[in-house]
Amino acid sequence: MLEIRDLQAGAGERRILNGIDLVVNPGEVHAVMGPNGSGKSTLAGALAGRDGIEVTGGSATFKGQDLLDLDPEVRAREGLFLAFQYPVEIPGVNNAYLLKAALNEVRKHRGEPELDAMDFMTLARKRMSLLDMDDALLNRPVNDGFSGGEKKRNEIFQLAVLEPSLAILDETDSGLDIDALKTVAAGVNAMRSPERSLIVVTHYQRLLHYIVPDFVHVLYRGRIVKSGGKELALELEEKGYGWLDAEPAAATA
Amino acid sequence: MSTAIQTVEELANQEYKYGFVTDVETDAIPVGLNEGVIELISAKKDEPKWLLDWRLNAFRAWSKMTEPAWHNVRYPPVDYQAISYYAAPKKKAQLDSLDEVDPEIRATFDKLGISLDEQKRLSGVAVDAVFDSVSVATTFKDTLANLGIIFCSFSEAVRDHPELVRRYLGSVVPHTDNFFAALNSAVFSDGSFAYIPKGVKCPMELSTYFRINAANTGQFERTLLVADEGAEVSYLEGCTAPRRDENQLHAAVVELVALDDATIKYSTVQNWYPGDKDGRGGIYNFVTKRGKAFANAKVTWTQVETGSAITWKYPSCILQGDHAVGEFYSVAVTNNRQQADTGTKMVHLGRNTRSTIVSKGISAGHGQNTYRGLVRIGKGARGARNFSQCDSLLIGDRCGAHTFPYLEVKNTSSQVEHEASTSKIGEDQIFYCRQRGLSTEDAVNLIVNGFCKEVFRELPMEFAVEAQKLLGVSLEGSVG
């Protein structure tokens, strides 16, 4: 699905990622954890092709293609989805409108017929029920005036409609209370399948109670310094990230 | 949305789609303006003496006026003596059917997508097609005639309904109103006329397509719409012009008269040639549009202005009668080197009159977009209310948006509200859309259409679709 080799990236003069290696196979759920400023969001942004993040070295292959060579919209149409840490507000643009346009771009790319408004609404309603979302959100402007929790649900709702092959969740748990967290996690879990991979980027272990990962990676100073199974997340919770300073270069080997 | 996106994609690689020139013999008067030229125009059109006198009065008034300079647009001085003030297709014999229309002209209409016979058969829209100032063909006349509705070219109206024309011509925009209106009054070549009798609801949208064709020919249209007591009408005006390198002057006048309890809805999509990327060429669009609403009457202006190098236009409402309503919904786009100074005047005279202004200005490239609006509430307009909303959207960092709202309130029982906002299409908004699979261009169109939707929903359906297309074409290449 995704193979990242020695990925280096930065923003402006600043180097943030110092050589990331990560292989994600179909159906796997990988958690990427790390303290503030470790490069988690930069990694997500580099994979999605965000402006301002410059890849300076290494490679990323997505479904056999050179991911870094593709425009952001082509990455999306190929099935790479990013659930934003800070979903963007677009006043005036109807939520359903954007999502229908997005879905039809994906379908066109796959050579499938476009959905008309009726079929789209049927699908959208079905997916909304997964997330216990208020129907009214469909007809409101994209993220405009949404609460923090509504924005995050909306991201996962989009994921559920677009059915990507690889979804990157960038701190989807931040700003969610425990009930919302459970709902969002249930929505994500409902989308798990042998063909779909997930990269869950988070500070905290608590999300991983609900979305149980197959692998956990610790990102620190732009490198993955430790990888392990789900128990690694628990260890991090217990010890915090401070101990990483004690054994800096050791884990990169 | 997907339709809008598709159409934008289809149109994306075209420059100015309507930039073609039809090869038809044109009967033009030599350049220059004096009383002799006005007499010649009037004679060519076989006009009655009262109309010639009216034109001459306007000309004399115009000769003493100076061109306005208060607007926020810049252009080199216009040499009014270097313009030819009349052009008409040479074959202008009366036609019995559409088949007799000059094939060249028919082809032009086909390119514009307004094949007359198709419109006649399918769309239920009566088209008074104005081609270089003279009406070529008018459809649906019979259906309308059965209801007593008159819809014809201005010249025909002068010939067949002189009493109506004489009564209302200049009653809303006097021949001395302003520099451009006075010029139009002196030299107007043709235009449209409609009269809806008492209590009649016009069963179809009345529609006119304008087109400038001959080089070096100014376009001076005159439109007069009268809705008698309790009548209702919706009128569509759409403009496209072929591309030209030299500037062309367009000074139209539109007068609307809504008598007691009448409703007039006037919608415009304006797409005159805007000039090239560097500001060469393009139409100077200096237009005077005004409606007068008597008791309980309603006048609504909806405009989508995407074209012209320079737009100078303030569709206005005089709310003369008690409980009269005026509305103005506008989208104005300036890209590249386009400049627009546009807005409205709402003049409240009657009691409990109400007005609404929704203006959306979009600037891209080096475009300069100015909203200029006046809300004047007279002493006697007790209980009057106005709501104004002026929003500006900036694309890129070399364009400008300006807002000049003027409020004059002369009594204490009236309410005036004004809201304004300026926003910019953010990189993060575009990236968000791209991450969901939309191209940059589609993302911009999605955001722009969202910004404009309060205005678009006031447009008749088929016009709304056209307006979205035009926006896509107009803003092409404005991002990234």
Side-chain angles (χ1 to χ4, degrees), chain A residues 26-77:
Chain A
E28 291 178 353
V29 176
H30 291 246
V32 174
M33 301 182 73
N36 285 327
S38 57
K40 301 190 299 294
S41 285
T42 303
L43 175 61
L47 295 176
R50 185 189 276 279
D51 294 325
I53 293 176
E54 203 188 331
V55 174
T56 51
S59 67
T61 311
F62 178 53
K63 297 202 282 195
Q65 294 185 70
D66 180 359
L67 180 69
L68 304 174
D69 200 35
L70 303 176
D71 283 335
E73 59 268 37
V74 180
R75 300 182 195 193
R77 292 170 197 162

Side-chain angles (χ1 to χ4, degrees), chain A residues 49-51 72-73 76-77 80-82 84 88-90 92-93 97-98 100 102 105 114 143 155 158, chain B residues 1-2 5-6 9 427-429 431-440 442 446-447 450-451 453 468:
Chain A
R50 185 189 276 279
D51 294 325
E73 59 268 37
R77 292 170 197 162
L80 186 148
F81 180 92
L82 173 63
F84 284 62
V88 179
E89 299 181 3
I90 312 180
V93 175
Y97 220 56
L98 170 65
K100 175 164 168 278
E105 288 295 341
E114 295 186 37
N143 294 320
E155 294 294 291
Q158 294 182 348
Chain B
M1 187 56 223
S2 64
I5 286 177
Q6 274 171 10
E9 271 179 359
E427 302 266 323
D428 55 342
Q429 290 175 325
F431 178 66
Y432 190 78
C433 293
R434 292 181 80 189
Q435 211 303 305
R436 295 298 179 255
L438 276 66
S439 67
T440 300
D442 289 343
L446 185 79
I447 295 167
F451 176 74
K453 72 175 175 207
Q468 290 199 347

Side-chain angles (χ1 to χ4, degrees), chain A residues 24-251:
Chain A
V24 178
N25 293 308
E28 291 178 353
V29 176
H30 291 246
V32 174
M33 301 182 73
N36 285 327
S38 57
K40 301 190 299 294
S41 285
T42 303
L43 175 61
L47 295 176
R50 185 189 276 279
D51 294 325
I53 293 176
E54 203 188 331
V55 174
T56 51
S59 67
T61 311
F62 178 53
K63 297 202 282 195
Q65 294 185 70
D66 180 359
L67 180 69
L68 304 174
D69 200 35
L70 303 176
D71 283 335
E73 59 268 37
V74 180
R75 300 182 195 193
R77 292 170 197 162
E78 283 287 336
L80 186 148
F81 180 92
L82 173 63
F84 284 62
Q85 183 180 2
Y86 304 107
V88 179
E89 299 181 3
I90 312 180
V93 175
N94 183 297
N95 208 19
Y97 220 56
L98 170 65
L99 191 52
K100 175 164 168 278
L103 178 62
N104 280 333
E105 288 295 341
V106 172
R107 292 179 66 95
K108 257 194 298 190
H109 190 75
R110 291 184 195 145
E112 294 166 8
E114 295 186 37
L115 287 191
D116 63 19
M118 294 288 280
D119 291 342
F120 172 76
M121 289 311 285
T122 310
L123 174 69
R125 293 236 160 74
K126 209 153 76 189
R127 293 293 185 260
M128 284 190 107
S129 64
L130 281 180
L131 288 151
D132 191 20
M133 259 171 88
D134 184 355
D135 258 21
L137 290 185
L138 262 183
N139 292 313
R140 280 180 33 197
V142 179
N143 294 320
D144 191 19
F146 285 28
S147 70
E150 283 172 337
K151 284 182 185 174
K152 294 300 176 74
R153 278 180 210 217
N154 196 38
E155 294 294 291
I156 304 307
F157 165 59
Q158 294 182 348
L159 187 164
V161 170
L162 296 174
E163 302 182 311
S165 37
L166 172 66
I168 303 166
L169 312 187
D170 191 4
E171 306 214 13
T172 296
D173 50 336
S174 66
L176 289 184
D177 62 37
I178 193 69
D179 292 328
L181 183 72
K182 282 184 187 168
T183 314
V184 163
V188 173
N189 286 330
M191 296 306 294
R192 285 177 78 158
S193 85
E195 293 82 40
R196 184 169 297 122
S197 311
L198 290 177
I199 298 176
V200 181
V201 174
T202 180
H203 274 292
Y204 302 109
Q205 136 73 15
R206 63 169 197 170
L207 176 65
L208 305 180
H209 278 306
Y210 303 102
I211 303 175
V212 180
D214 301 306
F215 302 94
V216 175
H217 310 277
V218 182
L219 191 62
Y220 188 67
R221 293 189 176 162
R223 283 198 172 88
I224 290 178
V225 294
K226 208 168 172 60
S227 296
K230 62 185 178 209
E231 63 289 342
L232 178 57
L234 295 167
E235 192 184 336
L236 284 170
E237 185 170 57
E238 202 176 301
K239 298 207 269 184
Y241 292 111
W243 58 276
L244 292 169
D245 274 325
E247 42 179 325

Side-chain angles (χ1 to χ4, degrees), chain B residues 441-454:
Chain B
E441 195 150 70
D442 289 343
V444 170
N445 280 298
L446 185 79
I447 295 167
V448 166
N449 282 316
F451 176 74
C452 298
K453 72 175 175 207
E454 286 155 284

